[in-house]
Amino acid sequence: IDEFDKMDATDQVAIHEAMEQQTISITKAGIQANLNARTAILAAANPKHGRYDRTKTLKANVDMTMPIMSRFDLFFIVIDDCDEVTDRNVAKHIVDVAAGEARALDAPFTIDELRSYIRVAKKIQPVITDAAAKTLVACYRQLRQNDVVGRSKTAYRVTVRQLESLVRLSEAHARIHLSQTVEPDNVKEAFRLLKRSIISVESESVLLEEIDEDDLEAAAAVEIPNVGEKRPAEDEPESPAKPAPTEDSPAKPPPKKKAKVQLSYEDYTRYRALITTHLRSRATLDGVPGLKRSAVVDWYLKTHADEVGEETAAHAKLLKQILKRLQKDDLVIVVAHEDNEPVLAVHPNVDVADASAA
């Protein structure tokens, strides 16, 4: 199906059943029939504005509904980037086609041999082995976990349909090798294809400022606006004239610029999802209105000991920087003070599910 994004909505709805259940129901003249869908759908679509925007999701680039998108097993984004090797190969192939079809299609097998191979492969009905079934479950769990913790912004949410896609792709990979059983290697290859097709959005890295206790104390005294609400502009009072420096009172050195740490967007959203979910769960289940910053840092270092390793001090500093950004820039966390230590809580207007998927 070419120009799939330009199909009428009624036509797209008509193929829902064929794509999900591989059946077609027909009701005409009092006759009801269920037919098996015997073809796969290979569709091509164009981006909305002519070029694919890497900073947006696939849904934002292509005019397709989510129910239709979730029914496709694989997505492949073809981007026309300038690459010397690729451009040379494409140009060479086009010139070979113009020079003669035999020169361009120099395949190591004939068309009859390919047809015979496909005819034999389609008749095979591979059986999923116990080892392959365990691998399927493990791969599906990994897809779901990556989706829940917001490790990457993807084209769609991972549901049971992606598990069905894993099964279909594993069986198809077994047929390619003329195998009567689905082995773990077939499942792993299907998992690799599915992971590549869950298109991740490229986002700019997040810059984290050096932690400064004075900033947290000053911010805690400011009333936190609602999420999405802009802070009101405040008129800055005129600063009194400062006396010129003398020999007895030398000029003060200028304040040092705070160094910034660069963190990838995927890692930042993962930290954000884990922290906000933990704070909200403590408030909901245990009735704890907020946690001290040191308790949040200790909780993460303890629950992720394998990831932290021996770099405890570095991870503790990084977590404090992330907490500072969540409180000052994202307005996800509100801060109070108890025993001269910041107490953190998720802003009441923040939806933790949205924060996890951000």
Side-chain angles (χ1 to χ4, degrees), residues 64-80:
M64 292 171 58
T65 62
M66 289 304 297
I68 285 290
M69 290 182 64
S70 64
R71 283 169 168 81
F72 280 100
D73 290 344
L74 298 173
F75 287 95
F76 294 100
I77 306 300
V78 181
I79 300 177
D80 188 17

Side-chain angles (χ1 to χ4, degrees), residues 41 44 53 67 81 111 161 190 192 203 219 255 282 328 344 348 356:
I41 294 180
D53 189 350
D81 288 333
I111 295 179
R161 285 178 180 166
R192 185 189 67 82
S203 301
R282 288 296 305 272
K328 288 189 63 180
L344 313 178
S356 300

Side-chain angles (χ1 to χ4, degrees), residues 151-256:
R151 190 159 295 172
S152 59
K153 295 170 70 176
T154 56
Y156 48 77
R157 299 305 297 268
V158 176
T159 63
V160 180
R161 285 178 180 166
Q162 278 62 58
L163 176 59
E164 295 174 347
S165 298
L166 270 176
V167 174
R168 286 194 292 268
L169 292 170
S170 301
E171 293 175 346
H173 193 259
R175 289 193 188 96
I176 288 177
H177 293 84
L178 304 180
S179 175
Q180 299 292 338
T181 58
V182 177
E183 301 296 338
D185 289 341
N186 304 127
V187 178
K188 291 176 182 177
E189 179 62 20
F191 177 62
R192 185 189 67 82
L193 288 171
L194 195 58
K195 277 210 312 183
R196 296 239 354 206
S197 73
I198 299 179
I199 309 301
S200 298
V201 177
E202 293 187 2
S203 301
E204 295 181 356
S205 299
V206 177
L207 295 178
L208 304 175
E209 292 184 359
E210 283 288 343
I211 191 68
D212 189 347
E213 302 295 339
D214 295 336
D215 291 346
L216 288 178
E217 291 178 2
V222 179
E223 183 179 355
I224 302 297
N226 292 334
V227 174
E229 179 181 344
K230 294 183 178 179
R231 295 179 182 269
E234 298 180 357
D235 297 331
E236 296 183 358
E238 296 182 0
S239 56
K242 296 181 179 179
T246 62
E247 294 181 359
D248 298 335
S249 59
K252 295 182 179 180
K256 295 181 180 180

